[in-house]
Amino acid sequence: MSAHSPTSPPAWHLYVPKLVSVLRQGYGLDDLRHDLLAGLTVSIVALPLSMALAIASGASPAIGLHTAIVAGFLISALGGSRVQIGGPTAAFIPVVFNVIATQGYDGLVVATLMAGMMLILAGLLRLGTMVKYMPQPVITGFTAGIAVSIFSSQIKDLLGLDLATVPATFLARWQAYGAHIDSLNPAAALLALGTLAALVAMRRWRPNWPAFLIAVVAASLVTALLGLPVETILSHFGPIPRELPTPHLPSFDITRLRELLPSAFTIAFLGGVESLLSAVVSDGMIGGRHRSNCELVAQGVANTASALIGGLPATGAIVRTATNVRAGARSPVAGMAHAVFILLFVLVAAPLANYVPLPAMAALLLLVAWNMSEIERIRQLMRSPLGDRLVLVVTFALTVMFDLTLAVEVGVVLAAFLFMHRMSEVVAMDAHVDLVEEDEDDFTRARRIVGHDALPDGVEAYRVSGPLFFAVANRIDDVLRAFGKPPRVFILRLRQVPLIDASGATAIGSLVARCRRTGTALIFTGLQPQPARILADMGIVADGEVLRFADDFPQALAMASAGHTPTSS
């Protein structure tokens, strides 16, 4: 079929931004009005949130605003989702905080630049669809772990502790809190508690109100009117500049790139997963369908641009995207408008943000952490099989105690082994003898297959059901041990084997070699196209002597009855 047929569009079509598709389909003034209103609504949510996320990450609030402007605009303009909103997100907080603590802010900029390149490459290699294979226990485990990390990082500002720096690791952080608990600032604690109470109340009784902005503005007014002795953005970070930074390329060398590679991979992985999960959520809300690889390319371009202006990593933000949809967004123009509205705030009204108290920002992030924790999802998964619960708990614990990279690596590996074990349980041979690998002592005779009374004398048969892959292939070579002496003819029934991998093919090759040594004729029946192709590619073909193929079992029995036996080598 031609690559340009109606059912198979050119590959470059997969990377056409949704913005272009929307404009080509027709875009009117009514659509623009809805998108501008939605963009304004989202910007009201994003303004305080972007600053709070930057502060929690160990950066200045201005950097969070700059990231929301540049990355948010590009993610909407170039992305493959119709209503995705991008910018800094809470998921990056532990990662960014650790990179800044260990490599400095320049190291974060270089890591973000590398991550952007990785995301572009992943999109061009069409790896976007691979995210659907990420196990849910791993996703929930590291998301809940990030929520706990965010909570623990906010205790200093929440209680107004006199602590110069917050340690990067979980245990050291709480040890520092305990050592400085006597410096608790009652005014900061009460202000944070009041802000949190206001956020929870508005979330319950006025869910359509811009709770983040209202709570932060109210806390700022209370701080100014009462002269509360708490830290503000101005006292801690200095004034927010009323301009965007000039793009520039950070300095780096090969050694520096090698050191930052794990952090860059973590940022790229988290950015890709978070953005595509957000796109899936938005698809469900609007009944649309995103282009995952186009979205990854857009995320890569946005992170590269953010790094060039000294910004933070960015990705699709699920809460802001949902707010965008509920506000009536119809196209990516809404996301672009949200970035423009934040830019207007920076250019015109940035000094107003200088008076925002840090305890109010900490309270805001506590609510964000609670929303990320997915308590109901955890409760549901804790009723799942033991293996899935183990993956969830291990991923969660490693995320909290160590770092996200190690947690995801271990979680995915555990989930893969769990999957392989479950797949091996569905691969069976003949009379309920499965291929699950179990330890055996040297004195236990291999299990004898029963139910062969109808076979001719000297003929044995096995039926394999399920995929023959590396998790079960090592048992294939043991099948001849089930007999007291090697049979004259051995029939391996493979019609119910839909696929085979290199390990399975290697095991089949070992079986052929064993049959050649024992003088046993080997007949395969019902070989499916994929297994046949793999075996042929690896040189395992019918030779008319040791190995022959039959279309079905009756034909194999007829061949066996002919009495042919290969010469033992």
Side-chain angles (χ1 to χ4, degrees):
M1 181 180 293
S2 172
H4 297 278
S5 65
T7 57
S8 181
W12 62 267
H13 281 193
L14 299 175
Y15 300 97
V16 174
K18 279 289 184 179
L19 176 64
V20 175
S21 302
V22 168
L23 296 179
R24 290 180 61 183
Q25 292 167 2
Y27 188 81
L29 288 177
D30 188 55
D31 297 316
L32 178 61
R33 181 177 62 84
H34 278 82
D35 283 338
L36 289 178
L37 181 59
L40 178 60
T41 303
V42 176
S43 68
I44 292 173
V45 174
L47 269 169
L49 194 57
S50 298
M51 293 189 292
L53 294 171
I55 293 171
S57 301
S60 71
I63 290 176
L65 294 174
H66 298 160
T67 305
I69 293 168
V70 174
F73 186 90
L74 291 174
I75 286 172
S76 293
L78 304 178
S81 175
R82 194 180 185 97
V83 292
Q84 177 95 286
I85 298 293
T89 67
F92 283 122
I93 289 176
V95 178
V96 172
F97 189 91
N98 287 335
V99 174
I100 294 176
T102 57
Q103 302 289 341
Y105 196 81
D106 289 345
L108 173 68
V109 172
V110 175
T112 303
L113 186 64
M114 295 169 64
M117 301 297 182
M118 291 178 184
L119 285 168
I120 294 174
L121 182 61
L124 296 177
L125 294 176
R126 301 188 186 183
L127 300 180
T129 54
M130 299 298 289
V131 173
K132 70 179 68 173
Y133 302 119
M134 179 63 61
Q136 189 59 53
V138 175
I139 294 175
T140 302
F142 76 68
T143 302
I146 288 171
V148 172
S149 297
I150 294 172
F151 169 79
S152 69
S153 69
Q154 296 308 299
I155 301 302
K156 172 185 176 293
D157 290 334
L158 195 74
L159 301 180
L161 300 181
D162 186 12
L163 186 61
T165 58
V166 178
T169 60
F170 184 80
L171 292 179
R173 185 178 296 162
W174 282 97
Q175 289 174 352
Y177 293 153
H180 293 80
I181 193 63
D182 56 347
S183 65
L184 183 146
N185 183 339
L190 288 174
L191 182 64
L193 182 61
T195 305
L196 185 60
L199 287 168
V200 173
M202 283 185 283
R203 180 182 180 183
R204 180 170 182 178
W205 288 296
R206 293 292 185 269
N208 294 325
W209 287 9
F212 287 167
L213 185 63
I214 292 174
V216 167
V217 170
S220 302
L221 290 174
V222 169
T223 301
L225 293 175
L226 299 181
L228 296 180
V230 299
E231 278 198 303
T232 63
I233 287 178
L234 180 62
S235 65
H236 191 82
F237 297 101
I240 294 180
R242 298 171 63 174
E243 59 186 6
L244 286 179
T246 304
H248 66 281
L249 191 66
S251 59
F252 53 86
D253 53 34
I254 296 299
T255 302
R256 184 74 160 157
L257 294 180
R258 188 181 300 113
E259 292 175 351
L260 291 169
L261 186 61
S263 299
F265 175 79
T266 301
I267 292 172
F269 168 80
L270 195 56
V273 170
E274 190 85 358
S275 65
L276 296 182
L277 289 177
S278 176
V280 169
V281 170
S282 68
D283 285 350
M285 296 180 72
I286 66 173
R289 185 174 182 180
H290 72 282
R291 288 193 282 270
S292 57
N293 295 303
C294 178
E295 186 65 29
L296 285 184
V297 172
Q299 297 289 337
V301 172
N303 276 276
T304 301
S306 180
L308 292 178
I309 63 162
L312 299 170
T315 185
I318 295 178
V319 173
R320 275 162 278 173
T321 298
T323 302
N324 190 41
V325 174
R326 288 194 294 265
R330 296 186 176 181
S331 77
V333 173
M336 298 162 63
H338 124 275
V340 172
F341 283 124
I342 298 177
L343 174 61
L344 291 176
F345 171 82
V346 169
L347 297 178
V348 176
L352 296 177
N354 293 329
Y355 303 100
V356 174
L358 296 188
M361 292 301 216
L364 186 153
L365 286 171
L366 252 61
L367 187 60
V368 170
W370 175 260
N371 292 335
M372 285 189 66
S373 63
E374 296 189 288
I375 297 297
E376 291 302 320
R377 178 67 60 84
I378 292 175
R379 289 174 179 169
Q380 181 185 39
L381 288 175
M382 290 307 289
R383 296 193 294 268
S384 62
L386 177 61
D388 293 308
R389 283 179 277 162
L390 178 64
V391 171
L392 170 63
V393 171
V394 169
T395 305
F396 170 80
L398 291 177
T399 301
V400 173
M401 303 302 296
F402 295 95
D403 61 73
L404 181 65
T405 305
L406 178 64
V408 171
E409 289 173 351
V410 174
V412 170
V413 169
L414 282 177
F417 276 113
L418 180 64
F419 169 77
M420 288 184 286
H421 176 73
R422 288 172 176 168
M423 287 297 295
S424 68
E425 289 180 322
V426 303
V427 181
M429 296 189 71
D430 204 31
H432 308 292
V433 177
D434 59 35
L435 290 180
V436 179
E437 179 66 56
E438 301 289 353
D439 289 339
E440 294 180 350
D441 61 65
D442 293 333
F443 306 100
T444 302
R445 187 182 178 192
R447 290 169 290 184
R448 181 72 170 90
I449 304 303
V450 297
H452 293 78
D453 298 339
L455 295 176
D457 185 46
V459 177
E460 297 287 351
Y462 272 79
R463 178 190 289 112
V464 181
S465 301
L468 189 55
F469 68 117
F470 61 92
V472 295
N474 58 338
R475 297 289 289 174
I476 283 291
D477 193 40
D478 295 335
V479 294
L480 292 183
R481 294 196 304 113
F483 312 113
K485 65 177 183 178
R488 178 175 56 86
V489 178
F490 180 55
I491 301 173
L492 193 60
R493 305 176 66 177
L494 300 172
R495 187 174 301 280
Q496 296 181 27
V497 177
L499 61 89
I500 186 172
D501 69 357
S503 298
T506 301
I508 290 291
S510 298
L511 179 64
V512 173
R514 183 182 292 272
C515 287
R516 180 175 289 108
R517 291 194 303 269
T518 60
T520 299
L522 184 59
I523 303 175
F524 292 167
T525 71
L527 200 60
Q528 298 294 321
Q530 192 272 355
R533 177 175 56 82
I534 296 298
L535 292 178
D537 290 344
M538 295 188 67
I540 303 173
V541 295
D543 56 13
E545 291 292 328
V546 174
L547 178 61
R548 289 175 287 174
F549 294 163
D551 293 333
D552 51 36
F553 189 56
Q555 183 183 13
L557 287 177
M559 295 168 64
S561 299
H564 177 77
T565 302
T567 302
S568 178
S569 57

